[in-house]
Amino acid sequence: MTEEIEFILDSTEESMNGSIAHLEKEFLNIRAGKASPAMLGSVFVDYYGSATPLSQVSKISVPDARTITLQPFEKNMLQTIEKAIMIANIGFNPMNNGDVIIISVPPLTEERRRDLAKQAKSEAEDAKIGVRNVRKDANTDIKKLEKEGTSEDICKSAEEEVQNLTNTYIRKIDELLAAKEAEIMKV
């Protein structure tokens, strides 16, 4: 194969990996009922005038499946952190005991579980669309090379390789979705 086709295949695979990474990140934001420090990933605290991620101003721990505790590095940050969690509007009601902030993660209702499963399906579909768009761009680039004089056989095998990559990444997305749905629906 020519260098140009190798480059197209490498960049195609890299872009498809990016779609998978983005999907995994989006799945972290979908709460599956179990407490996790990732649930607070979108919370930023006003730390001496600058927006700082919560994980940089406090120690986040998960003592059990329904509780998250936050131990601020500075005691005077308790109210600020509590306020930031409320402002983030992620559905948690923090309790401040003077030393730590305790967040009880409420159990999910069946209806909420179904909504989260739909949201996960939607994110997976977006990732599949991203993979298919990458395939389309790669095939367009291969067609351009064919018009510029690259052998038809080499271009056909490159298109098959792009399709194989697409099938592999679509399968990965389906596996990630199945795992996430099982996690969401598990009571």
Side-chain angles (χ1 to χ4, degrees):
M1 269 192 238
T2 66
E3 270 186 42
E4 293 98 346
I5 289 184
E6 287 288 333
F7 177 75
I8 291 170
L9 292 175
D10 287 347
S11 64
T12 299
E13 188 166 9
E14 192 177 313
S15 296
M16 289 181 179
N17 266 328
S19 290
I20 296 285
H22 179 74
L23 177 66
E24 289 171 336
K25 186 176 173 223
E26 290 301 315
F27 276 178
L28 281 178
N29 293 334
I30 298 175
R31 183 163 70 91
K34 278 193 316 207
S36 157
M39 294 175 165
L40 300 172
S42 63
V43 178
F44 284 84
V45 179
D46 179 30
Y47 186 67
Y48 297 108
S50 66
T52 308
L54 184 59
S55 59
Q56 292 182 12
V57 294
S58 68
K59 177 180 174 244
I60 303 172
S61 57
V62 183
D64 61 60
R66 295 262 173 251
T67 313
I68 300 173
T69 60
L70 301 161
Q71 175 96 43
F73 298 136
E74 297 177 28
K75 222 175 196 114
N76 64 343
M77 293 297 294
L78 276 168
Q79 280 79 23
T80 311
I81 292 172
E82 198 174 12
K83 186 176 164 192
I85 293 168
M86 299 293 263
I87 290 171
N89 197 19
I90 49 178
F92 293 139
N93 192 13
M95 294 176 288
N96 175 350
N97 72 3
D99 288 325
V100 294
I101 295 173
I102 301 166
I103 299 172
S104 293
V105 178
L108 297 173
T109 63
E110 187 65 27
E111 182 182 342
R112 182 69 179 132
R113 287 179 192 280
R114 284 197 191 99
D115 288 346
L116 290 173
K118 281 182 191 171
Q119 185 182 348
K121 271 188 182 135
S122 169
E123 293 295 344
E125 196 52 47
D126 289 347
K128 286 181 183 180
I129 289 168
V131 167
R132 290 182 190 121
N133 285 338
V134 170
R135 175 188 61 188
K136 187 183 90 177
D137 294 343
N139 284 338
T140 302
D141 291 344
I142 291 169
K143 293 267 190 251
K144 280 182 193 167
L145 287 177
E146 193 175 346
K147 285 180 182 169
E148 292 171 6
T150 304
S151 143
E152 190 176 324
D153 291 341
I154 291 175
C155 290
K156 283 287 178 228
S157 70
E159 285 177 0
E160 287 173 16
E161 184 63 32
V162 168
Q163 186 57 48
N164 289 340
L165 280 173
T166 304
N167 294 342
T168 302
Y169 281 93
I170 295 288
R171 235 184 338 272
K172 278 184 187 177
I173 291 170
D174 288 336
E175 289 166 7
L176 287 170
L177 176 62
K180 187 62 178 182
E181 283 181 325
E183 181 187 335
I184 290 170
M185 296 313 279
K186 191 174 101 186
V187 180

